[in-house]
Amino acid sequence: MPDVISPNNGLIIGHWQPDSPTVIGAALDNLAPASAAIAVPADRIALLQSIAAKLDHHRADLAAIIIAEVGKTPAEAMDEVDYAISFLTCGATSVSEAEQPAASPDRRLRIVPAGPALAITPYNDPLAGIVRKIAPAIAAGCPVIVKPSALGHLTAMALFEAIAGVDRTRAATMVNHPDRDVLHRLISDPRFRVLSFTGSTATGRVIAAGAGLKRLVMELGGNNPFLVLEGADLDLAAADAVARKTRAAGQACSAQ
């Protein structure tokens, strides 16, 4: 049973139980019925709005877990909850707009489900990093299974407990296991038609090699230089650089 150690003080703040083959198998078997359950656009809009309302209701609790688990400041944690909610509301709006009559059939936004998705998410945005993947998946009619980072497991667990309260279709579920063989079996499972991963370039290459013919959505590595041009306000630039490079305890993408 893996420990969860807070970066704030080095203390164990929780544990988590890796999912059994039975639990993982049930999640995979649910992909087909979940696809059928979210086929109607109005149902997807209602689900996205319900999840957004649920997260808003539990915003303080979610922020507290983010602070304890990944070391963000209270302001950063609350911003992340708002950021996560924005993906859900944007997804609902996109589905609604796609259902509106267009002035010309050629200009109409069409949403065509690509199929069930596997999303592998990072720890530095343990809430928004997941929601930014599941919101567009649901909006497009694609059920999604999330494999979160072990370093953000408590936040992910709290998120999916909240989702379970409003998602009877289990369109978005979570499985987690530290064994790489389990992850490789998920990656290669033919029931997934889309694979989304955010993380290192090296890991992304391994995942892509085992993904087969799945559609890949990858956000890999990163190098975010901070350029100060001639004539810039140096005091402002210095303050901005410090803010960007220390955000989220130095674990934000802008800190790379």
Side-chain angles (χ1 to χ4, degrees):
M1 183 179 292
D3 296 329
V4 178
I5 300 175
S6 174
N8 298 311
N9 50 28
L11 299 178
I12 296 174
I13 58 172
H15 312 274
W16 61 276
Q17 181 67 48
D19 289 311
S20 68
T22 300
V23 169
I24 295 173
L28 291 167
D29 290 341
N30 184 65
L31 288 171
S35 294
I38 58 173
V40 178
D43 292 340
R44 302 201 295 271
I45 294 171
L47 177 57
L48 290 164
Q49 291 174 336
S50 296
I51 296 173
K54 194 77 169 180
L55 298 193
D56 185 56
H57 180 73
H58 291 286
R59 59 191 300 108
D61 295 333
L62 290 167
I65 297 172
I66 293 170
I67 293 166
E69 189 169 39
V70 300
K72 290 194 175 185
T73 66
E76 289 171 338
M78 291 300 289
D79 284 346
E80 182 171 346
V81 177
D82 289 335
Y83 190 40
I85 292 172
S86 73
F87 288 113
L88 295 161
T89 55
C90 179
T93 300
S94 296
V95 180
S96 179
E97 290 177 349
E99 291 303 300
Q100 298 299 317
S104 167
D106 294 333
R107 297 178 64 85
R108 181 173 179 178
L109 173 65
R110 294 178 177 87
I111 295 179
V112 180
L118 171 64
I120 305 172
T121 60
Y123 76 95
N124 59 342
D125 279 328
L127 181 74
I130 294 175
V131 179
R132 71 185 295 187
K133 295 183 186 291
I134 66 174
I138 294 173
C142 302
V144 56
I145 293 178
V146 173
K147 192 282 177 194
S149 167
L151 298 176
H153 183 91
L154 296 184
T155 305
M157 188 166 61
L159 167 63
F160 282 95
E161 286 176 353
I163 291 175
V166 296
D167 179 18
R168 305 305 179 191
T169 68
R170 298 183 70 228
T173 54
M174 169 184 122
V175 299
N176 208 358
H177 202 288
D179 191 329
R180 291 193 176 187
D181 288 340
V182 174
L183 177 58
H184 289 319
R185 286 196 292 272
L186 284 171
I187 291 168
S188 61
D189 194 292
R191 282 168 285 194
F192 292 115
R193 306 308 303 155
V194 179
L195 196 161
S196 177
F197 170 71
T198 300
S200 72
T201 302
T203 302
R205 289 194 180 108
V206 174
I207 289 174
L213 298 177
K214 298 175 180 64
R215 297 186 183 187
L216 299 179
V217 182
M218 299 278 189
E219 182 185 4
L220 306 179
N223 185 3
N224 192 41
F226 189 91
L227 303 180
V228 180
L229 304 181
E230 184 177 357
D233 183 329
L234 297 183
D235 290 337
L236 179 60
D240 192 48
V242 170
R244 291 178 185 277
K245 300 305 180 180
T246 59
R247 181 171 172 265
Q251 300 303 319
C253 296
S254 61
Q256 302 304 311

